Amino acid sequence: MEEFAALIDALVYTRSRNEKLRLIAAYLQATPDPDRGWALAALSDGLDFPAVKSSTIRNLLKDRIDPVLWTLSRDFVGDTAETASLLWPAPQEPPSPPSVSETVELLSAMNRKSVVKELPKLLDRLDSSGRYALLKLATGGMRIGVSSRLAKTAFAQSFDVSVEDVEEYWHGLTPPYADLFAWAADGAAPPDIENLPTFRPFMLAHPLEETVVDLGDYAAEWKWDGIRVQLVRAGGETRLFSRSGDDISATFPELLGVLPMNAVLDGELLVRGNVQGGEAGGAASFNALQQRLGRKTVSKKMLKDYPAFVRLYDVLLLEGEDLRPLPWEQRRGRLEALASRLPASHFDISSVVEATDFEHLSQIREGSREDAIEGLMLKRKDSPYIAGRRVGYWYKWKRDPLLVDCVLMYAQRGSGKRSSFFSDYTFGCWDGDPDEGADLLPVGKAYSGFTDEELKKLDRHVRGNTVNRFGPVRETDKSLVFEVAFDSVHESKRHKSGLAMRFPRIHRIRWDKPPHEADRIEALRALIAD
Amino acid sequence: MAAPFSWIKPEPHGIYIPPADCWVDPSRAVDNALVTHGHADHARGGHGQTVATPETLAIMELRYRTGAEDDAGEIPHKAVPIEYGETIRLKGGVDATYIPAGHVLGSAQILLEHAGERVIVTGDYKRRADPTCPPFEVTACDIFITEATFGLPVFEHPPIEEEMRKLLDRLAAHPDRCVLVGAYALGKAQRVIAELRAAGHHQPIYLHGAMEKMCRLYEEHGVDLGELRLVADAKKGDLRGAIVISPPSALNDRWSRRLPEPITAMASGWMRVRQRARQRNVELPLVISDHADWSELTRTIREVDAQENWITHGREDALLRWCQLHQRRAKALALVGYEDEDD
């Protein structure tokens, strides 16, 4: 655990990407199996120990130090694991750190009851850095500036294999990745994933921004407002994956028995309705889909009221054949030919948008808001299907955002890089005429869209204009106007204003604008599309 | 008879003493000021008269040219030097005694006495040994007005020898690079240099131009800093394997590009928190502070054992909570203008 803790500390304090790669690679080369496999898992996807949650750590600490002092400390540090590692009382005995695999073993054996006794014992065996590494590893999600991709790249570099191959095998394997190390480090045969229903990394798009493309080279498709999914059938099993590779099969059981052949398909998950693209569009709004997301069990009523289907964009693998190296045009042909073999109840194909030229396409995009569609996709007709975001192949061209002027009401401290800065803002609109005594009602929350410099100024504004404190939340004097950009707005029972925005972000900070000139709730309500 | 302690009034801009018409560390210009130490948030320019230790007055003179003549050839500012342990009688029967605070060169706690009542204003202080100034002296009083910059239990400053070892080990491991240490120009920089010398590092130490005058001032007051050179006068080759000291603001500035692959370090109590170091792009955090850490703050409150503790700038909520848990009377003062960004 000492080496792992030293690696984590070194990564925290390293800026350069190359240096991070070097540090991880050196660790992976010097560390035996299975320790290095667990470490790689912790750095990439994160490990999950159901018995150890942030709240577990919080409760352990609150038994040992005054709860108020704990909360003030946690609020300042901005990270539960780090606060706990600093506040844990120094043990009497000298440290006797366990290995990474012993740590994983002990953590896996804990349950909600035993964790209260067992986790303290483990913490007592470590110094402050070790405790930090342990708690980060135990709660998953290190947040130390190392992405999953970076960890895999370091693995690839350290054993001189291609990162694309690593990505390809990755999702078919589980920690501590013995087969992966055997292949990359010891020259064993590559892991066999052909007969496993595993996730294949998505091909992603860049925003189009100022680029103009020639429609002779690019095809346009709608960018539907659902969630991007991959449906995989192999080895007699079907699974549904989200964009990040999470297995969401259990949430959409109706899609698990309807794919008649072995295949890997890329599409948009939607529910039936008549909002997106009107009657002919056949899909409901994102808001309707949201009723189905994140559920572990699904009621019959849910299945009946919000029936899900997949609108297909692409085909990656089909009956043992890897189609990914083929140009998009050919894959599209294969996809269209496949349509007749798929049940229309659960599949259709995202149509190609025909436009005479770019200008015409631009007009079509303008109309996408009425159709409640997110925008357009532009795909190079000769593009192979490549994992990740490659310049020049695919572009997303979202419709322009909506804008509304809101007043800053509350601010909360951020975490990670923004720890101790007030960086999460709740803002509101007027429920009537502000000059006649109307009140502000919260309509949304945003924590992006500003630069680091602006963040410093906003932080100062919050500190200097606080009128009330509620734990980590500051109420401000409502003197600052934000121009907020968002993609759409919907009815919502969760908020007092009855409205919820999608993807709200700070578009501009209106230091100049008096708050009574901000928008009213009615103005926002008028923008509801469904 | 006046109500107890009615002669001392915490105001947003400092501690005011009505019978003496005098302020302690006011954050704006006043006629009569008592100043604890030379940091800019405690010692502002433009006062009519300043009572402070000779070292603090010298620092203020350097920073604000307080000794400059006006158009009529007069020096409008009156500097009143007072040595440690000395008492000065102010108007209205108020006595002020300056006692070492152990924070930086010239730093003092001010003991104020009136009608048999004793109040101490600490300014900033620490309890660790510091080769650049005499140590904090625990002094009995009725009201103890303490700072709380590091007033959270997560702040425990490690022994400075450990931090010096970290710095020298890193330097030795990279003989072709330099270690650039961000350190506050008054106090921290000189303490780090003096501690490096004590740890056996006798090579020349290179300075950012903004540190030079303050280092010279320390030397004039008898603090030996060894051989100091300016980065501006050095060739790039000279800086390989050397320690360079700059103000924290210059760490990520264009200025540092002239250095040979600098390893960015920062000497500050905030470096105890990883994310604070990351926010400043610090690769080598050195937990070194001239302020009391949590243990020192709570130990000092216990040792001084005043009837009442008033807590000024910093994490006052947590220290207030500690006082409450330990049955000590305390309140937080809402003073404006104190900063703790770089220390």
Side-chain angles (χ1 to χ4, degrees):
Chain A
M1 201 68 184
E2 300 105 301
E3 293 82 4
F4 180 68
L7 172 68
I8 298 304
D9 268 347
L11 289 171
V12 164
Y13 299 125
T14 301
R15 284 177 283 176
S16 132
R17 182 172 182 275
N18 282 338
E19 181 62 13
K20 286 181 190 173
L21 289 172
R22 198 192 61 72
L23 287 164
I24 299 171
Y27 174 87
L28 293 177
Q29 280 166 357
T31 309
D33 290 319
D35 273 22
R36 58 182 178 181
W38 291 118
L40 182 63
L43 288 173
S44 52
D45 296 345
L47 291 162
D48 184 32
F49 301 100
V52 192
K53 295 274 163 266
S54 245
S55 57
T56 324
I57 300 172
R58 196 162 61 232
N59 292 335
L60 281 182
L61 264 294
K62 282 185 173 174
D63 288 344
R64 283 161 178 82
I65 78 158
D66 175 61
V68 174
L69 291 178
W70 159 262
T71 304
L72 290 168
S73 298
R74 163 63 186 80
D75 181 25
F76 181 86
V77 174
D79 181 306
T80 298
E82 178 161 19
T83 314
S85 74
L86 293 171
L87 289 180
W88 190 257
Q92 305 295 320
E93 306 289 314
S96 57
S99 70
V100 177
S101 16
E102 189 189 347
T103 305
V104 169
E105 218 169 282
L106 290 167
L107 287 170
S108 312
M110 291 177 197
N111 58 40
R112 284 206 182 164
K113 250 184 145 172
S114 68
V115 69
V116 184
K117 275 189 143 171
E118 297 302 322
L119 190 56
K121 281 191 209 160
L122 205 45
L123 285 164
D124 280 341
R125 291 173 64 182
L126 296 158
D127 65 8
S128 164
S129 276
R131 293 195 291 266
Y132 177 73
L134 166 71
L135 294 175
K136 281 284 173 189
L137 177 131
T139 49
M142 310 287 274
R143 298 186 82 172
I144 54 167
V146 175
S147 66
S148 175
R149 176 76 178 178
L150 187 90
K152 290 169 197 164
T153 306
F155 174 89
Q157 285 190 2
S158 109
F159 302 112
D160 203 19
V161 292
S162 95
V163 69
E164 285 75 22
D165 285 347
V166 176
E167 288 279 13
E168 180 72 11
Y169 302 139
W170 188 265
H171 300 278
L173 305 170
T174 49
Y177 307 114
D179 291 350
L180 196 68
F181 280 96
W183 159 68
D186 308 329
D192 178 18
I193 58 160
E194 208 185 303
N195 294 309
L196 295 175
T198 58
F199 171 74
R200 306 303 198 291
F202 275 111
M203 179 156 179
L204 303 171
H206 277 280
L208 186 66
E209 285 166 1
E210 302 305 309
T211 317
V212 174
V213 300
D214 182 346
L215 293 186
D217 298 332
Y218 285 82
E221 285 177 357
W222 292 116
K223 186 176 185 333
W224 300 100
D225 197 4
I227 62 165
R228 184 106 177 261
V229 289
Q230 187 175 92
L231 191 66
V232 183
R233 181 173 156 177
E237 219 184 308
T238 302
R239 285 197 195 156
L240 185 70
F241 296 102
S242 71
R243 216 188 80 143
S244 52
D246 293 327
D247 188 337
I248 53 169
S249 310
T251 311
F252 296 94
E254 69 259 58
L255 295 172
L256 303 182
V258 291
L259 185 57
M261 73 287 289
N262 281 348
V264 177
L265 302 173
D266 178 342
E268 194 85 6
L269 182 70
L270 297 161
V271 301
R272 293 285 175 198
N274 55 10
V275 174
Q276 294 198 43
E279 285 295 336
S285 70
F286 182 82
N287 212 30
L289 173 63
Q290 219 165 16
Q291 310 301 318
R292 296 270 326 251
L293 295 176
R295 291 177 187 273
K296 282 181 190 147
T297 54
V298 197
S299 68
K300 281 208 176 112
K301 186 166 166 21
M302 272 285 160
L303 288 171
K304 191 169 144 278
D305 291 353
Y306 301 102
F309 70 102
V310 180
R311 181 157 288 172
L312 297 170
Y313 291 133
D314 216 323
V315 49
L316 284 64
L317 274 77
L318 184 61
E319 297 171 317
E321 191 186 350
D322 191 348
L323 305 182
R324 286 173 293 180
L326 299 180
W328 175 85
E329 237 171 347
Q330 288 188 33
R331 290 200 312 279
R332 177 78 198 182
R334 300 289 289 266
L335 184 67
E336 285 171 6
L338 185 64
S340 61
R341 298 169 61 195
L342 299 174
S345 54
H346 293 89
F347 295 98
D348 64 18
I349 291 187
S350 179
S351 55
V352 169
V353 179
E354 301 293 348
T356 49
D357 54 23
F358 196 76
E359 181 53 43
H360 181 209
L361 190 63
S362 178
Q363 287 165 13
I364 294 175
R365 170 179 167 266
E366 302 280 308
S368 67
R369 178 172 308 286
E370 278 91 89
D371 290 336
I373 300 169
E374 262 197 285
L376 290 168
M377 294 292 297
L378 290 161
K379 296 181 175 175
R380 221 186 132 85
K381 291 176 182 168
D382 61 2
S383 63
Y385 195 100
I386 300 172
R389 206 171 259 126
R390 200 65 75 84
V391 179
Y393 281 145
W394 287 11
Y395 291 106
K396 53 186 169 192
W397 195 16
K398 286 204 197 185
R399 65 191 185 208
D400 292 329
L402 296 163
L403 298 172
V404 65
D405 283 336
C406 302
V407 182
L408 172 64
M409 300 179 71
Y410 305 96
Q412 192 166 355
R413 290 182 199 251
S415 55
K417 234 174 86 178
R418 287 164 164 189
S419 93
S420 90
F421 281 110
F422 286 94
S423 63
D424 300 3
Y425 310 107
T426 300
F427 40 79
C429 287
W430 298 105
D431 67 355
D433 185 347
D435 296 324
E436 302 287 328
D439 287 325
L440 284 166
L441 286 182
V443 296
K445 200 172 173 180
Y447 21 80
S448 65
F450 37 82
T451 63
D452 288 354
E453 278 314 303
E454 285 173 326
L455 172 61
K456 281 185 200 162
K457 275 181 82 178
L458 287 169
D459 180 68
R460 269 202 298 279
H461 171 85
V462 172
R463 287 169 197 273
N465 296 274
T466 296
V467 294
N468 242 323
R469 298 179 187 203
F470 311 97
V473 177
R474 297 272 184 104
E475 180 179 359
T476 66
D477 62 358
K478 288 133 199 135
S479 58
L480 181 61
V481 176
F482 288 148
E483 186 177 277
V484 176
F486 55 102
D487 284 7
S488 57
V489 58
H490 303 272
E491 300 268 7
S492 163
K493 293 194 185 75
R494 270 183 292 175
H495 302 278
K496 203 174 164 191
S497 60
L499 298 173
M501 293 175 170
R502 274 196 82 200
F503 298 136
R505 61 261 183 201
I506 310 296
H507 194 247
R508 268 195 306 167
I509 306 165
R510 296 294 306 266
W511 299 103
D512 57 314
K513 191 157 189 166
H516 68 265
E517 288 180 20
D519 281 308
R520 298 194 201 174
I521 299 272
E522 303 102 83
L524 191 56
R525 186 170 288 281
L527 299 171
I528 294 179
D530 62 358
Chain B
M1 208 182 108
F5 304 107
S6 59
W7 55 278
I8 185 128
K9 280 198 160 31
E11 299 280 346
H13 294 281
I15 308 278
Y16 183 57
I17 311 159
D21 184 26
C22 190
W23 295 77
V24 182
D25 288 355
S27 58
R28 60 182 177 201
V30 299
D31 289 343
N32 296 300
L34 308 179
V35 170
T36 59
H37 66 284
H39 279 144
D41 49 342
H42 294 260
R44 308 258 161 173
H47 302 318
Q49 171 181 298
T50 305
V51 181
T53 61
E55 295 86 352
T56 298
L57 289 170
I59 290 163
M60 291 176 74
E61 160 64 25
L62 178 67
R63 292 197 147 175
Y64 305 120
R65 314 246 329 112
T66 44
E69 294 176 2
D70 64 11
D71 295 341
E74 312 256 322
I75 298 174
H77 175 254
K78 192 177 167 209
V80 182
I82 177 167
E83 299 284 349
Y84 290 128
E86 236 185 278
T87 300
I88 183 170
R89 168 64 53 106
L90 307 171
K91 272 195 308 189
V94 178
D95 287 337
T97 307
Y98 280 53
I99 301 164
H103 176 58
V104 296
L105 180 71
S107 67
Q109 322 170 55
I110 301 174
L111 167 64
L112 299 162
E113 291 173 284
H114 179 66
E117 296 170 335
R118 291 159 66 90
V119 175
I120 284 180
V121 185
T122 64
D124 294 333
Y125 67 96
K126 70 172 172 290
R127 304 296 304 273
R128 316 272 172 130
D130 180 339
T132 69
C133 60
F136 182 95
E137 288 173 18
V138 173
T139 306
C141 60
D142 303 306
I143 296 177
F144 185 59
I145 305 181
T146 177
E147 64 136 323
T149 306
F150 289 102
L152 275 177
V154 290
F155 290 110
E156 293 291 342
H157 310 324
I160 194 164
E161 295 76 18
E162 276 179 24
E163 302 306 286
M164 289 298 120
R165 193 34 56 206
K166 267 202 314 208
L167 170 54
L168 292 172
D169 285 351
R170 188 68 78 93
L171 186 70
H174 299 278
D176 290 338
R177 301 175 66 180
C178 72
V179 180
L180 170 62
V181 184
Y184 201 65
L186 164 55
K188 186 70 61 65
Q190 296 78 21
R191 179 172 172 222
V192 167
I193 295 169
E195 290 286 358
L196 278 168
R197 299 309 186 202
H201 181 80
H202 299 298
Q203 287 167 254
I205 289 174
Y206 290 84
L207 300 179
H208 182 282
M211 328 286 288
E212 187 193 12
K213 283 185 177 160
M214 198 58 77
C215 288
R216 299 291 168 233
L217 185 147
Y218 263 64
E219 287 172 325
E220 283 157 22
H221 285 84
V223 179
D224 183 12
L225 299 177
E227 188 182 349
L228 302 178
R229 295 183 189 168
L230 284 179
V231 169
D233 300 339
K235 289 196 277 292
K236 207 163 185 169
D238 300 341
L239 299 170
R240 294 192 192 282
I243 291 173
V244 178
I245 314 253
S246 82
S249 59
L251 284 183
N252 300 311
D253 186 47
R254 263 192 350 195
W255 173 83
S256 66
R257 288 192 206 156
R258 70 185 70 190
L259 305 174
E261 295 175 75
I263 295 164
T264 310
M266 174 136 158
S268 158
W270 303 119
M271 294 297 107
R272 171 97 165 142
V273 176
R274 286 174 176 79
Q275 294 299 348
R276 284 298 186 109
R278 290 193 66 188
Q279 282 165 3
R280 314 235 15 179
N281 289 328
V282 169
E283 296 162 273
L284 177 62
L286 302 170
V287 188
I288 301 174
S289 175
D290 286 329
H291 292 272
D293 65 12
W294 176 256
S295 299
E296 292 171 64
L297 287 169
T298 53
R299 173 165 70 110
T300 306
I301 289 174
R302 267 197 303 259
E303 288 177 1
V304 171
D305 197 20
Q307 286 171 32
E308 208 171 301
N309 300 282
W310 293 0
I311 303 165
T312 63
H313 53 298
R315 283 354 81 195
E316 57 270 12
D317 322 2
L319 201 55
L320 207 57
R321 172 71 180 173
W322 181 89
C323 289
Q324 195 188 333
L325 290 172
H326 292 79
Q327 280 88 46
R328 291 187 178 274
R329 289 181 64 174
K331 70 173 180 184
L333 307 184
L335 300 185
V336 296
Y338 289 119
E339 290 152 13
D340 53 31
E341 277 319 304
D342 282 334
D343 196 70

